[in-house]
Amino acid sequence: MLEVIILAAGQGSRMQSSLPKVLHTLAGQPLVLHVLEGARKLGAQQIHVVVGHGAEAVEATVSAPDVQCHLQAEQRGTGHAVQQAIGACQAESTVLVLFGDVPLIAEQTLREVVSAAKTGVAMLSANLENPAGYGRVERDPQGQFIAVVEEQDATDEQRRLTEINTGVLASNAGALKAWLARVDNQNAQSEFYLPDVLGLARLDGEAVTVVCSDNVFDTLGVNSPQQLEQLERLHQASLADQLMTAGVLISDRSRLDIRGRLECGRDVRLDVNVVIEGEVSLGNEVSIGANCILCNAQIGAGARILPFTHIEGAEVQSGAVIGPYARLRPGSVIGEQAKVGNFVEVKNTHLGKGAKANHLAYLGDADIGDLSNVGAGTITCNYDGANKHRTTLGDAVFVGSNSTLVAPLTIDSGGFVAAGSTITDDVKADQLAVARGRQRNVEGWQRPAKPEETD
Ligand code: UD1
Ligand code: CA
């Protein structure tokens, strides 16, 4: 049985933030949740999270049936942190230790480390051009592992070593518990170091396997806002690359942000500065213009989303055209071939097949039939200050510009509203509704005179 211990008690002081470090987001998701996701992919049966700084908030974030949290009230080192959880592990389990601030280790790498732990203890190392700040892997002249030496405790010669400890370690739980009990804090930081168990294992004659990784994501951790931004850009570039491999045409991988899950059909195009949040699906031949934000949206085949459009919690059916500068809010469904133009806000509204709202309108809590046309400046008055009401338009309704539709209201199919009307009563099929003051032209009208100019 595999159990994973995630260390997430540290403060992350270099983030200069009141938010616990592991709750800072990468690709829209807290760092610690990326680590959890990684643990689940391995099929871990129990996941332990060691919490300390911001414990409540971290616990609330990771809370799940397969997750158990353990409080490390005082941060006395990584070894001490693992001790808080090791007692809750089954002695015969294999335990994998991960850091909550190293979020994107490849699944394959972790599998190798776990599998290497079958015959003893395993750790993950990497060779870095600039190993500063990391613990170094010390080997004997035959290349056999001796120990991990923290930078603060290292001699000048040891500091020149470029093989570093990533922090990932796997071992039998019972053995790990026994070694941890023997770790002391006689070192430069007066901390209980987790990697010290590797040196103890070796002294006990136990096999120590060092898996050396050459995947950058396996070592990149987050200690500062700069590192967070670097990792975000690398990750986004890699997500964009995967999409391109699947045939998506992306104008610039450095100007695409996926903060959730994106599913694409064939021949999808994404222009610059597109932000994807939550669950988004794009059908075949969909194009998303520059500067669009899509959050929890489904876009049907052939639909075109023109620049500067914001879509949240909405469905756009095939062939529809949205924008530029349109806003679709939750609960909206835009029918096939329909059009929503510039400065149109749509909320909780169904727009039928081929219907149009081309300019400057607010459509809230409405059902608009097929082929209806909503003129510029039309507003559904859906809110009376206390309750929301629906507006229902049948098929092929024509609403003239600058009309005010006071809900609850029904306009039957074929109804026609004259421009500038305030409609408060239902309109029957094929009626014309005019609700505005009649025009009066005053003959011989004298304009008011301006006062005489004085100095
Ligand atoms: C650690 C390793 C070092 C390795 C490096 C890789 C130790 C002693 N050193 O150093 O060999 O090269 O990671 O990034 O293990 N944490 C707790 N409780 C504590 C201390 C830490 O939960 O008391 C957590 C932190 O929140 C963090 C992780 O453990 O997620 C690593 O701690 P950190 O202090 O960043 O270790 P490093 O000094 O980077
Ligand atoms: Ca660290």
PDB file of all heavy atoms in Angstrom, residues 14 21 99 101 222-223, ligand 2:
ATOM      1  N   ARG A  14       9.772  34.106   2.080  1.00  0.00           N
ATOM      2  CA  ARG A  14      10.202  34.887   0.917  1.00  0.00           C
ATOM      3  C   ARG A  14       9.049  35.284  -0.002  1.00  0.00           C
ATOM      4  O   ARG A  14       9.211  36.112  -0.897  1.00  0.00           O
ATOM      5  CB  ARG A  14      11.270  34.109   0.119  1.00  0.00           C
ATOM      6  CG  ARG A  14      12.658  34.299   0.680  1.00  0.00           C
ATOM      7  CD  ARG A  14      13.660  33.414  -0.029  1.00  0.00           C
ATOM      8  NE  ARG A  14      13.496  32.010   0.343  1.00  0.00           N
ATOM      9  CZ  ARG A  14      14.068  30.981  -0.306  1.00  0.00           C
ATOM     10  NH1 ARG A  14      14.821  31.209  -1.354  1.00  0.00           N
ATOM     11  NH2 ARG A  14      13.889  29.743   0.106  1.00  0.00           N
ATOM     12  N   LYS A  21       2.221  29.782   1.887  1.00  0.00           N
ATOM     13  CA  LYS A  21       2.816  29.605   0.553  1.00  0.00           C
ATOM     14  C   LYS A  21       2.092  28.576  -0.302  1.00  0.00           C
ATOM     15  O   LYS A  21       1.839  28.814  -1.485  1.00  0.00           O
ATOM     16  CB  LYS A  21       4.289  29.223   0.697  1.00  0.00           C
ATOM     17  CG  LYS A  21       4.952  28.983  -0.634  1.00  0.00           C
ATOM     18  CD  LYS A  21       6.440  28.975  -0.565  1.00  0.00           C
ATOM     19  CE  LYS A  21       6.968  27.727   0.081  1.00  0.00           C
ATOM     20  NZ  LYS A  21       8.445  27.715   0.078  1.00  0.00           N
ATOM     21  N   PHE A  99       6.986  17.653  -1.164  1.00  0.00           N
ATOM     22  CA  PHE A  99       6.897  18.998  -0.588  1.00  0.00           C
ATOM     23  C   PHE A  99       5.710  19.735  -1.217  1.00  0.00           C
ATOM     24  O   PHE A  99       5.520  19.667  -2.429  1.00  0.00           O
ATOM     25  CB  PHE A  99       8.186  19.788  -0.864  1.00  0.00           C
ATOM     26  CG  PHE A  99       9.397  19.299  -0.092  1.00  0.00           C
ATOM     27  CD1 PHE A  99      10.655  19.821  -0.346  1.00  0.00           C
ATOM     28  CD2 PHE A  99       9.273  18.342   0.908  1.00  0.00           C
ATOM     29  CE1 PHE A  99      11.770  19.384   0.368  1.00  0.00           C
ATOM     30  CE2 PHE A  99      10.368  17.903   1.628  1.00  0.00           C
ATOM     31  CZ  PHE A  99      11.629  18.419   1.356  1.00  0.00           C
ATOM     32  N   ASP A 101       5.395  22.685  -1.883  1.00  0.00           N
ATOM     33  CA  ASP A 101       5.764  23.819  -2.738  1.00  0.00           C
ATOM     34  C   ASP A 101       6.542  23.391  -3.987  1.00  0.00           C
ATOM     35  O   ASP A 101       7.136  24.215  -4.661  1.00  0.00           O
ATOM     36  CB  ASP A 101       6.560  24.857  -1.941  1.00  0.00           C
ATOM     37  CG  ASP A 101       7.847  24.296  -1.348  1.00  0.00           C
ATOM     38  OD1 ASP A 101       8.076  23.085  -1.469  1.00  0.00           O
ATOM     39  OD2 ASP A 101       8.614  25.083  -0.760  1.00  0.00           O
ATOM     40  N   VAL A 222       8.597  26.540  -5.428  1.00  0.00           N
ATOM     41  CA  VAL A 222       8.191  27.938  -5.316  1.00  0.00           C
ATOM     42  C   VAL A 222       8.609  28.472  -3.952  1.00  0.00           C
ATOM     43  O   VAL A 222       8.099  28.031  -2.924  1.00  0.00           O
ATOM     44  CB  VAL A 222       6.666  28.065  -5.476  1.00  0.00           C
ATOM     45  CG1 VAL A 222       6.215  29.487  -5.184  1.00  0.00           C
ATOM     46  CG2 VAL A 222       6.240  27.642  -6.871  1.00  0.00           C
ATOM     47  N   ASN A 223       9.561  29.395  -3.964  1.00  0.00           N
ATOM     48  CA  ASN A 223       9.946  30.041  -2.712  1.00  0.00           C
ATOM     49  C   ASN A 223       9.698  31.536  -2.756  1.00  0.00           C
ATOM     50  O   ASN A 223       9.635  32.179  -1.716  1.00  0.00           O
ATOM     51  CB  ASN A 223      11.432  29.788  -2.427  1.00  0.00           C
ATOM     52  CG  ASN A 223      11.708  28.307  -2.200  1.00  0.00           C
ATOM     53  OD1 ASN A 223      11.199  27.710  -1.267  1.00  0.00           O
ATOM     54  ND2 ASN A 223      12.489  27.714  -3.078  1.00  0.00           N
TER      55      ASN A 223
HETATM   56 CA    CA B   2      12.225  24.921  -0.254  1.00  0.00          CA
END
